[in-house]
Amino acid sequence: MTAITFTPKQPKHFITTADYTAEQLLDLVYRAVQFKVESKYNHPKPRQEQPLAGKSVALMFSKRSTRTRVATETAVSYLGGHAMFLGSQDIQLGVNESFYDTAHVVSSMVDGIMARVGGHHEIETLAKESSVPVINALSDKYHPTQILADLMTIHEYYHHKKNNAPANVYSAHTQHPRETLKGLKVAWVGDANNILQEILVAFPKCGISVSAACPSGYVCDQDVIDIAKADAEKTGTTVFFTTSPEEAVKDCDIIITDTWVSMGQEEEKKKRLLDFKGYQVTNALAQNGCAKPDWIFMHCLPRKPEEVDDEVFYSERSLVFPEAENRKWTILSVIDALLVRGEI
Ligand code: CP
Ligand code: NVA
């Protein structure tokens, strides 16, 4: 009888952009732009290539999601695969079964896992125990696929602007994002949360300075700050923290914020609304703090009115809806790299 030997798989995972070089991240963004061109502008018909045909990706989400869920399900089907949504009401995870056991069971049957969790240790356990690639769809520490979409959105905007491209021509694919992002300054006005932390580990190494205003007592993890400062030193960018929103926005090109009450923090809402008083992004804040006159606004969404007023949110400066759409192209790019090409 011939013995069959099994070699345990050592899959790669996408847990935070901190694990990748700037060139790897920007290549992912560039590939996302190519997917967008292929799908929206060149290939209105379904594509022939179906590299994930017969394969399944489990979406294990313990929290709500609109963008990440829709982006992932449509990205998987674009590549010919099957996306299986497993919400917290559907599976045993967290109620009757541990992350350790669930990782072993689910990964034995699917080809990839996209997981939205609470604590960051949960995604780390999933990744450690899974036999297939795991993508972080949000943890309390990081949100890597969001920040790839942000890099893509910034690239598209500045590429278009610098090249005076007509509004009806999509031209971002004619240049690599390594050319467009360097030298920009982002101001963050808001919570020291997962979105800011992912910005800190991604933007400075791509040549973007970050100046963050968070209220007193709201601070990022020390390891995140250390990564950001080390990257900034290498690229000649700056990373600066303050409690003053006006100080943060000085000379910035882009203002970014997020909810003051992240999922799971609902009980702290009353205190947080008081602590963040004066942090709403408005035209007056940008003007008083001397942001560049042509500053633009970004937000990962979902948005609540307290952190940004309607005048900014629905203005021409606001890139929030292209930013949301770009979740699809960047998630497609990550899935393609991890599950199809095995390149990252
Ligand atoms: N930005 C983001 O992750 O949105 P969802 O929570 O809707 O997925
Ligand atoms: N900081 C928010 C981001 C949601 C996409 C949260 O964690 O709920």
Side-chain angles (χ1 to χ4, degrees), residues 64-68 116 143 146 263 300-302 327:
R64 283 182 180 278
S65 168
T66 298
R67 281 141 289 270
T68 314
R116 174 164 284 199
H143 197 3
Q146 177 66 52
M263 288 180 278
C300 63
L301 309 182
R327 300 297 310 288

Side-chain angles (χ1 to χ4, degrees), residues 116 138 143 193-195 258-259 262-263 300-302:
R116 174 164 284 199
L138 182 85
H143 197 3
N193 66 9
N194 39 16
I195 303 291
D258 181 20
T259 181
S262 282
M263 288 180 278
C300 63
L301 309 182

Side-chain angles (χ1 to χ4, degrees), residues 132-191:
V132 298
V134 172
I135 301 170
N136 181 3
L138 182 85
S139 69
D140 64 357
K141 183 161 182 149
Y142 287 128
H143 197 3
T145 60
Q146 177 66 52
I147 269 31
L148 275 189
D150 287 14
L151 288 171
M152 176 175 176
T153 310
I154 297 169
H155 162 66
E156 282 179 330
Y157 177 81
Y158 285 102
H159 175 84
H160 218 78
K161 189 171 168 176
K162 282 176 194 159
N163 292 284
N164 279 323
N168 61 345
V169 172
Y170 183 79
S171 63
H173 60 296
T174 57
Q175 201 170 16
H176 195 280
R178 75 170 85 81
E179 312 297 331
T180 39
L181 303 177
K182 276 188 199 132
L184 293 168
K185 180 179 170 191
V186 160
W188 173 270
V189 179
D191 193 7

